[in-house]
Amino acid sequence: MKVRVAGRLRDYKTVWMERGRVRMIDQRLLPERFRIHTARTVGEVAKAIREMVVRGAPAIGAAAAYGMALGALARDNVMKDAALLLRTRPTAHDLSYAVREMERAIRSGWDPVAAAQKYARNLEAVCLEIGRQGEPLLEGGSTVLTHCNAGALATVDHGTALAPIRRAHRRKKRLFVYVDETRPRLQGAKLTAWELKQEGIDYAIISDSAAGYYLLQGKVDCVLVGADRITSSGDFANKVGTYPLAVLAKENGVPFYVAAPRSTFDFTIDHWKQIPIEERDPLEVLKIEDRRIAPVGAEARNPAFDVTPGRYVTKFVTERGLFSPKQVHGLASVKP
Amino acid sequence: MKVRVAGRLRDYKTVWMERGRVRMIDQRLLPERFRIHTARTVGEVAKAIREMVVRGAPAIGAAAAYGMALGALARDNVMKDAALLLRTRPTAHDLSYAVREMERAIRSGWDPVAAAQKYARNLEAVCLEIGRQGEPLLEGGSTVLTHCNAGALATVDHGTALAPIRRAHRRKKRLFVYVDETRPRLQGAKLTAWELKQEGIDYAIISDSAAGYYLLQGKVDCVLVGADRITSSGDFANKVGTYPLAVLAKENGVPFYVAAPRSTFDFTIDHWKQIPIEERDPLEVLKIEDRRIAPVGAEARNPAFDVTPGRYVTKFVTERGLFSPKQVHGLASVKP
């Protein structure tokens, strides 16, 4: 992605490897500060994933692949490294997908760094293809609603949900994007708004709960989000707040699209109840930017994701084309 | 309401009049600080409403009634005072209701202070009655979801949506309340959590967008909210984020209740499109507590309310009993 740093336009990936270190854009600091975070060991990569220096299912997968490469360079126990990474965040399927791929590559005697780089480069190509597959769904002059960040920062580049939007914009389609701020961690207001601004795409940030008002008024032409884990029935997990959008879209006759690579699909399960949902620190709800917003001692709950039954999805947008929820199981036999 | 101030339990109203001044709990400072704000003129009352020192449709009505009384004491032009107050916030119907009532009282030669006090005391009695009418809807051991603050702080005392909850709690029914934090101004996290904590009622604050996740899992037994304006068809406006809850409740077979006094009903209109929706400063979305959360120069939209078609409402809970949306028009002929 193009990033303007100190007045100069430079090209960045969300996560990459150089000179035996894993480097990543520190997403906790955006949009105020653009800083590159460095991890020197698999433990430091695991910490970066856990603390959300890097987040977004596909980006977590790429970071984990690089983490496995660091471990292999240090002659770590492969199973131990895999277990360490798998413990960081439970919901994103790309994490286990990437770790398994790297385990296989390392055991097969591949160069671990080359294998991780291949994983990341393939993900970039996959996201470009998701952009190509999804772009025809977006009509010129239309308004898209998105949630959280499923952009370049959630992948290695280009994004999942933002890939068709970027492509449509580059092909001179005029779009307007409503960006849910996405409490508690505000990835919409902080990351998606930042990406759209860099790209010159028109948008407005809204409170998550304002999305319904625009849908009821007929001001949204489609909803387009990413995913963290998709089951073989089309039930899926994504950032908390996705399920309400899916229900509101259906209620108002608005198409609801989910953009994700093959690596986000978990064909071992077929119901949302089987998806592990991460419950994060209630302080993420009780504080905003270290400032307390609720009474001292207040109780809070903080599920990081929610689940949406497949019946609410119009189409899954993948690098292999568009799939209705009922067609998803067919993707299982397609080679990634 | 009982408030613990400096270790002592004292009884407070949200807004009242003493020695020719209007006094009100400053709701911008809660829960961190408990401070009483003083308005000496109708202009100062209008400013307090506009800046949300006092908020919540019924409380705005009571504050406006006291404002009209201050104006009458100062021998202001009654029509000018009325116009000044009516301009403060467009959505709450109680505002115009209270101003009209006071205009009539002043023109009829009533003591303006006594008339305003009667308005406020009547509202207190009405809220107690809403509590009595609504309490049977809440089963012991059940979980209620609420949005924004429709508590004592949104009225003069007791609340609208919180009145049945308070009454059930005092009658030893065990309840659990999910409190939507209610972005952008966080009245749920700040005010409702504060009220429930003072009262000793179990609750947890959640991000607004997490409500759907609990509804889908069957963990919510009913949704109970207040209202800012209700039309004769049952379409109504309330804090932005109410409409998504209504749709999600219906989708999951959960009853959706709206508690409001007769003064919130506007029988001159019958469709949500006729309700004026206040659009507030985008900075309320772009900043939280004076801290910027989005890129500099970012765009945002900030509708303060949304609208919900009557068909999503199970019952309106009023001081005159429970009404289905189709029965609402019958309330028009009932004397307040």
Side-chain angles (χ1 to χ4, degrees):
Chain A
M1 74 202 91
K2 298 278 181 224
V3 181
R4 190 166 293 279
V5 183
R8 276 178 55 204
L9 209 61
R10 292 184 55 188
D11 201 41
Y12 276 94
K13 303 299 173 194
T14 294
V15 52
W16 71 97
M17 199 162 169
E18 61 183 4
R19 282 173 272 147
R21 299 174 304 169
V22 179
R23 310 204 71 196
M24 50 194 114
I25 297 174
D26 191 335
Q27 302 191 36
R28 299 168 305 182
L29 306 178
L30 285 173
E32 292 88 359
R33 278 181 291 158
F34 183 84
R35 214 190 69 189
I36 303 304
H37 180 88
T38 302
R40 287 157 218 274
T41 63
V42 62
E44 287 180 10
V45 171
K47 189 162 182 276
I49 294 172
R50 206 164 40 237
E51 295 178 359
M52 296 175 69
V53 176
V54 61
R55 30 62 53 200
I60 289 172
Y66 284 127
M68 290 294 287
L70 282 187
L73 289 182
R75 300 182 181 280
D76 289 353
N77 176 306
V78 175
M79 263 178 63
K80 245 173 106 174
D81 283 357
L84 172 68
L85 287 164
L86 291 173
R87 269 200 307 276
T88 53
R89 300 197 67 197
T91 305
H93 185 255
D94 304 66
L95 173 60
S96 55
Y97 182 88
V99 167
R100 298 294 168 229
E101 289 283 301
M102 285 297 295
E103 275 186 301
R104 196 174 311 136
I106 293 166
R107 281 186 216 289
S108 308
W110 282 43
D111 172 0
V113 174
Q117 265 158 351
K118 191 180 160 207
Y119 184 93
R121 264 199 295 267
N122 180 54
L123 182 55
E124 276 187 66
V126 157
C127 288
L128 271 182
E129 188 55 31
I130 287 173
R132 257 188 295 269
Q133 296 287 345
E135 185 263 345
L137 299 172
L138 308 176
E139 280 185 51
S142 68
T143 295
V144 184
L145 172 69
T146 192
H147 189 67
C148 196
N149 174 270
L153 291 166
T155 57
V156 172
D157 206 345
H158 316 299
T160 51
L162 291 198
I165 293 172
R166 284 177 193 275
R167 186 171 168 90
H169 176 73
R170 288 183 186 163
R171 299 191 69 178
K172 309 289 180 213
K173 284 187 184 172
R174 204 186 155 81
L175 296 178
F176 183 84
V177 185
Y178 280 117
V179 177
D180 276 1
E181 63 173 1
T182 318
R183 280 281 289 150
R185 290 186 67 119
L186 300 163
Q187 293 96 331
K190 287 174 178 291
L191 307 179
T192 300
W194 182 79
E195 285 195 37
L196 294 174
K197 204 164 183 296
Q198 301 272 345
E199 197 84 15
I201 298 170
D202 288 338
Y203 72 92
I205 300 166
I206 56 173
S207 299
D208 302 317
S209 59
Y213 181 56
Y214 294 109
L215 278 156
L216 176 67
Q217 290 178 95
K219 292 188 175 165
V220 175
D221 298 300
C222 75
V223 180
L224 177 51
V225 298
D228 287 81
R229 187 183 297 234
I230 304 167
T231 76
S232 64
S233 68
D235 293 359
F236 73 101
N238 190 42
K239 179 56 53 198
V240 69
T242 300
Y243 166 65
L245 299 180
V247 173
L248 288 162
K250 188 162 205 179
E251 190 76 3
N252 289 286
V254 169
F256 183 86
Y257 302 120
V258 179
R262 168 71 171 72
S263 49
T264 303
F265 289 79
D266 179 355
F267 296 104
T268 67
I269 57 175
D270 65 2
H271 196 283
W272 58 261
K273 287 191 179 168
Q274 296 165 288
I275 304 176
I277 297 297
E278 178 182 9
E279 184 94 22
R280 292 184 64 88
D281 192 336
L283 281 178
E284 290 186 349
V285 174
L286 296 171
K287 287 181 168 188
I288 300 181
E289 310 269 5
D290 294 328
R291 172 101 189 235
R292 200 163 188 96
I293 57 157
V296 174
E299 296 293 323
R301 301 278 161 80
N302 185 19
F305 303 91
D306 66 16
V307 284
T308 302
R311 64 179 179 277
Y312 294 102
V313 179
T314 310
K315 290 283 179 196
F316 289 95
V317 183
T318 80
E319 69 271 31
R320 294 302 183 127
L322 309 181
F323 294 81
S324 72
K326 285 189 175 156
Q327 294 167 325
V328 162
H329 66 94
L331 243 181
S333 53
V334 174
K335 260 198 79 117
Chain B
M1 73 202 90
K2 299 279 181 224
V3 181
R4 191 167 292 279
V5 183
R8 276 178 53 205
L9 209 61
R10 291 185 55 187
D11 201 40
Y12 276 93
K13 304 299 172 193
T14 295
V15 53
W16 70 96
M17 199 161 169
E18 61 182 6
R19 283 174 272 146
R21 299 174 303 172
V22 179
R23 310 204 72 196
M24 50 193 112
I25 297 173
D26 191 335
Q27 302 190 36
R28 299 168 304 181
L29 305 179
L30 285 173
E32 292 89 0
R33 278 182 291 157
F34 182 83
R35 214 189 69 187
I36 304 304
H37 181 87
T38 302
R40 286 157 219 275
T41 63
V42 63
E44 287 180 9
V45 170
K47 189 163 182 275
I49 294 172
R50 205 165 40 238
E51 295 179 358
M52 297 176 69
V53 176
V54 61
R55 30 61 54 200
I60 289 172
Y66 284 126
M68 290 294 287
L70 282 186
L73 289 181
R75 298 183 184 281
D76 290 354
N77 176 308
V78 175
M79 264 177 62
K80 247 173 103 174
D81 283 356
L84 172 68
L85 287 163
L86 291 174
R87 270 200 306 276
T88 52
R89 300 197 66 197
T91 304
H93 184 256
D94 305 66
L95 174 60
S96 55
Y97 183 86
V99 167
R100 297 296 168 227
E101 289 283 302
M102 285 299 293
E103 274 184 302
R104 198 174 309 138
I106 293 165
R107 282 187 216 288
S108 309
W110 283 42
D111 172 0
V113 175
Q117 265 159 350
K118 192 179 159 207
Y119 184 93
R121 262 198 296 268
N122 180 55
L123 181 57
E124 276 186 66
V126 157
C127 288
L128 271 183
E129 188 56 31
I130 288 172
R132 257 189 295 268
Q133 296 287 345
E135 186 263 344
L137 299 172
L138 308 176
E139 280 185 53
S142 68
T143 295
V144 184
L145 172 69
T146 192
H147 190 67
C148 196
N149 173 269
L153 291 166
T155 56
V156 172
D157 207 345
H158 316 300
T160 52
L162 291 198
I165 293 172
R166 283 177 193 277
R167 187 171 169 90
H169 177 72
R170 288 184 187 162
R171 298 190 70 179
K172 310 288 180 213
K173 282 185 185 172
R174 203 186 158 82
L175 297 178
F176 183 84
V177 185
Y178 281 117
V179 178
D180 276 2
E181 62 174 2
T182 318
R183 278 281 288 152
R185 290 186 66 117
L186 300 163
Q187 293 95 332
K190 288 173 177 293
L191 307 180
T192 300
W194 182 79
E195 285 196 37
L196 293 175
K197 205 163 182 294
Q198 300 274 344
E199 197 83 15
I201 298 170
D202 287 339
Y203 71 92
I205 301 166
I206 55 174
S207 299
D208 302 318
S209 60
Y213 181 57
Y214 294 110
L215 278 156
L216 176 67
Q217 290 179 95
K219 291 188 177 167
V220 175
D221 297 299
C222 75
V223 180
L224 177 51
V225 298
D228 287 81
R229 188 183 296 236
I230 304 166
T231 75
S232 64
S233 69
D235 292 0
F236 73 101
N238 190 43
K239 178 56 54 200
V240 69
T242 300
Y243 166 65
L245 299 181
V247 174
L248 288 162
K250 189 165 203 177
E251 190 76 1
N252 290 287
V254 169
F256 183 86
Y257 302 119
V258 180
R262 169 70 172 70
S263 49
T264 304
F265 288 80
D266 180 355
F267 296 105
T268 67
I269 57 175
D270 65 1
H271 197 283
W272 59 260
K273 288 191 177 164
Q274 296 165 288
I275 304 176
I277 297 297
E278 178 181 8
E279 185 94 23
R280 293 183 64 87
D281 191 336
L283 281 179
E284 291 186 349
V285 174
L286 295 171
K287 287 181 167 187
I288 299 181
E289 310 268 4
D290 294 328
R291 173 99 189 236
R292 201 165 186 94
I293 58 157
V296 174
E299 296 293 323
R301 300 278 160 80
N302 184 18
F305 304 91
D306 67 15
V307 284
T308 302
R311 66 179 178 277
Y312 294 102
V313 179
T314 310
K315 291 285 179 193
F316 290 95
V317 183
T318 80
E319 69 271 32
R320 295 302 184 126
L322 309 181
F323 294 80
S324 72
K326 285 191 176 153
Q327 294 167 326
V328 162
H329 66 94
L331 244 182
S333 53
V334 174
K335 260 197 78 111

Coordinates of all heavy atoms in Angstrom, one line a residue, chain B residues 230 260-262 265 267 316 318-321 323 327-336:
Chain B
I230 N -42.9 9.5 19.8 CA -43.6 8.4 19.3 C -44.8 8.9 18.4 O -45.6 9.7 18.9 CB -44.1 7.5 20.4 CG1 -43.0 7.1 21.4 CG2 -44.9 6.3 19.9 CD1 -43.4 6.5 22.7
A260 N -42.4 5.0 27.9 CA -42.5 6.5 27.7 C -43.7 7.0 28.3 O -44.8 6.4 28.2 CB -42.4 6.8 26.2
P261 N -43.7 8.3 28.8 CA -44.9 8.9 29.2 C -45.7 9.5 28.1 O -45.2 9.6 26.9 CB -44.3 10.1 30.1 CG -43.0 10.4 29.5 CD -42.5 9.1 28.9
R262 N -47.0 9.8 28.3 CA -47.9 10.3 27.4 C -47.3 11.6 26.6 O -47.5 11.8 25.5 CB -49.2 10.7 28.1 CG -50.2 11.6 27.4 CD -50.9 10.8 26.3 NE -52.0 11.6 25.8 CZ -51.8 12.7 25.0 NH1 -50.6 13.2 24.8 NH2 -52.9 13.4 24.6
F265 N -45.6 11.2 23.2 CA -46.4 10.8 22.0 C -46.8 12.1 21.2 O -47.3 13.0 21.8 CB -47.6 10.0 22.4 CG -47.3 8.6 22.9 CD1 -46.9 8.4 24.2 CD2 -47.5 7.5 22.1 CE1 -46.6 7.1 24.7 CE2 -47.2 6.3 22.5 CZ -46.8 6.0 23.8
F267 N -49.2 13.0 18.5 CA -50.3 12.5 17.7 C -50.6 13.3 16.4 O -51.5 13.0 15.7 CB -51.6 12.4 18.5 CG -51.4 11.4 19.7 CD1 -51.2 11.8 21.0 CD2 -51.4 10.0 19.4 CE1 -51.0 10.9 22.0 CE2 -51.3 9.1 20.4 CZ -51.1 9.6 21.7
F316 N -45.8 -0.7 24.0 CA -45.4 0.6 24.6 C -45.9 0.6 26.1 O -47.0 0.2 26.4 CB -46.1 1.8 23.9 CG -45.5 2.0 22.6 CD1 -46.1 1.5 21.4 CD2 -44.3 2.7 22.4 CE1 -45.6 1.6 20.2 CE2 -43.8 2.9 21.1 CZ -44.4 2.4 20.0
T318 N -46.7 2.7 29.2 CA -47.0 4.1 29.5 C -47.7 4.1 30.9 O -48.1 3.0 31.5 CB -48.0 4.7 28.5 OG1 -49.3 4.3 28.8 CG2 -47.6 4.3 27.1
E319 N -47.9 5.3 31.4 CA -48.6 5.4 32.7 C -50.1 5.0 32.6 O -50.8 4.8 33.6 CB -48.5 6.8 33.3 CG -49.2 7.9 32.5 CD -48.4 8.5 31.4 OE1 -47.6 7.8 30.8 OE2 -48.6 9.7 31.1
R320 N -50.6 4.9 31.4 CA -51.9 4.5 31.2 C -52.1 3.0 30.8 O -53.1 2.5 30.3 CB -52.6 5.3 30.0 CG -52.7 6.8 30.4 CD -53.5 6.9 31.7 NE -53.7 8.3 32.0 CZ -54.9 8.9 32.2 NH1 -56.0 8.2 32.1 NH2 -55.0 10.2 32.5
G321 N -51.0 2.3 30.9 CA -51.0 0.8 30.6 C -50.1 0.5 29.4 O -49.4 1.3 29.0
F323 N -49.7 -0.7 25.5 CA -50.3 -0.5 24.2 C -49.5 -1.1 23.1 O -48.3 -0.9 23.0 CB -50.4 1.0 23.9 CG -51.3 1.8 24.8 CD1 -50.9 2.2 26.1 CD2 -52.6 2.1 24.5 CE1 -51.7 2.9 27.0 CE2 -53.5 2.8 25.3 CZ -53.0 3.2 26.6
Q327 N -52.6 0.1 18.9 CA -53.5 0.7 19.9 C -53.1 2.1 20.3 O -53.8 2.8 21.0 CB -53.5 -0.1 21.2 CG -54.1 -1.5 21.0 CD -53.9 -2.4 22.2 OE1 -52.8 -2.4 22.8 NE2 -54.8 -3.3 22.5
V328 N -51.9 2.5 19.8 CA -51.3 3.8 20.2 C -52.2 5.0 20.0 O -52.4 5.9 20.8 CB -49.9 4.1 19.6 CG1 -49.5 5.5 19.6 CG2 -48.9 3.2 20.2
H329 N -52.9 5.0 18.8 CA -53.7 6.2 18.4 C -54.8 6.4 19.5 O -55.3 7.5 19.7 CB -54.3 6.0 17.0 CG -55.3 4.8 16.9 ND1 -56.6 5.0 17.1 CD2 -55.1 3.5 16.8 CE1 -57.2 3.8 17.0 NE2 -56.3 2.9 16.8
G330 N -55.2 5.3 20.1 CA -56.2 5.4 21.2 C -55.8 6.2 22.4 O -56.7 6.8 23.1
L331 N -54.5 6.3 22.6 CA -54.0 7.1 23.7 C -54.2 8.6 23.5 O -54.2 9.4 24.4 CB -52.4 6.9 23.8 CG -51.8 6.2 25.0 CD1 -50.3 6.2 24.8 CD2 -52.1 6.9 26.3
A332 N -54.4 9.0 22.2 CA -54.6 10.4 21.9 C -55.8 11.0 22.7 O -55.7 12.2 23.1 CB -54.8 10.6 20.4
S333 N -56.8 10.2 22.8 CA -58.0 10.8 23.5 C -58.0 10.7 25.0 O -58.8 11.2 25.7 CB -59.2 10.1 22.9 OG -59.1 8.7 23.1
V334 N -56.9 10.0 25.5 CA -56.8 9.9 27.0 C -56.2 11.2 27.5 O -55.2 11.6 27.0 CB -55.9 8.7 27.3 CG1 -55.6 8.6 28.8 CG2 -56.5 7.4 26.9
K335 N -56.8 11.7 28.5 CA -56.3 13.0 29.0 C -54.9 12.7 29.8 O -54.9 11.7 30.5 CB -57.3 13.6 30.0 CG -58.1 14.7 29.4 CD -58.8 15.5 30.5 CE -57.8 16.5 31.2 NZ -58.1 17.9 30.9
P336 N -53.9 13.5 29.5 CA -52.6 13.3 30.2 C -52.8 13.4 31.7 O -53.6 14.1 32.2 CB -51.7 14.4 29.6 CG -52.4 14.9 28.5 CD -53.9 14.7 28.6

